[in-house]
Amino acid sequence: KDINSISYATPLDISNETTGVVSTTYLSNTGNAAYLKIRRTDAGTAPDQNVGLLAWDQVDDTGTKTYVSFAGWHSGLYIGTASDGTTYNATNYVGITDGNMALGDYTPAVGYRLDVRGNAIVSGSLTAGALLLSGSDIDTSDSSAITITPAVTMSSNLFVENDLTVSNIVYA
């Protein structure tokens, strides 16, 4: 029987009753893409409302232990985790809004393409404008000078391999 639409008043539970092996449920189409569309219809649109959510739970005999969500909100896309199944902290989320990404929060700070809330490890080099950080080297990609505005305290030896120009007093 062809089904073009399904309407239901209670939650729809599609279960694959397979036990002991990976369970697979398909949405498929021959010759073109298959789409799963989640749509919310309202009389008005609040600026920050949940449009749809895909959620993964791991439930064992003691209750839900892990939770992962992939949510579409009016203002963006969010991916989050709760390893205990109940604690949903912003620090456990990745948020994407208008092409900008926040790691460790729902929404990136205004004006930033990438907003990392917490420590970051960069494997390789990092370029910020003309500034290039690679290994233990700080350089510029255009041979321009690097200006350090606040005072600098060095806790180790300083080796100068070229001229040293001082435009103020040198103290020993």
Side-chain angles (χ1 to χ4, degrees):
K1 175 179 178 181
D2 278 342
I3 298 175
N4 292 320
S5 69
I6 299 172
S7 297
Y8 53 92
T10 59
L12 177 63
D13 183 2
I14 300 173
S15 297
N16 184 328
E17 298 295 328
T18 305
T19 303
V21 296
V22 175
S23 170
T24 305
T25 303
Y26 294 97
L27 295 175
S28 63
N29 186 11
T30 302
N32 209 333
Y35 291 94
L36 172 62
K37 183 179 243 183
I38 298 173
R39 176 181 294 160
R40 177 178 174 158
T41 305
D42 292 304
T45 302
D48 199 23
Q49 66 184 4
N50 186 329
V51 175
L53 173 77
L54 295 175
W56 293 263
D57 294 333
Q58 177 187 356
V59 181
D60 62 17
D61 58 354
T62 64
T64 300
K65 291 297 182 187
T66 58
Y67 178 82
V68 177
S69 66
F70 188 78
W73 287 69
H74 179 264
S75 58
L77 177 69
Y78 305 95
I79 302 168
T81 63
S83 59
D84 63 1
T86 59
T87 307
Y88 306 104
N89 296 322
T91 56
N92 295 351
Y93 278 80
V94 172
I96 302 171
T97 304
D98 297 326
N100 302 323
M101 179 182 281
L103 301 175
D105 203 349
Y106 305 114
T107 307
V110 175
Y112 290 92
R113 185 58 108 184
L114 177 62
D115 178 2
V116 179
R117 307 287 176 97
N119 298 332
I121 295 175
V122 177
S123 176
S125 62
L126 175 66
T127 302
L131 189 63
L132 175 64
L133 306 173
S134 181
S136 60
D137 295 334
I138 301 173
D139 200 352
T140 59
S141 60
D142 61 1
S143 299
S144 61
I146 298 172
T147 302
I148 302 173
T149 303
V152 176
T153 301
M154 302 206 138
S155 299
S156 62
N157 297 332
L158 175 64
F159 296 95
V160 179
E161 295 180 357
N162 215 328
D163 295 339
L164 177 63
T165 303
V166 178
S167 60
N168 213 323
I169 300 170
V170 176
Y171 297 97

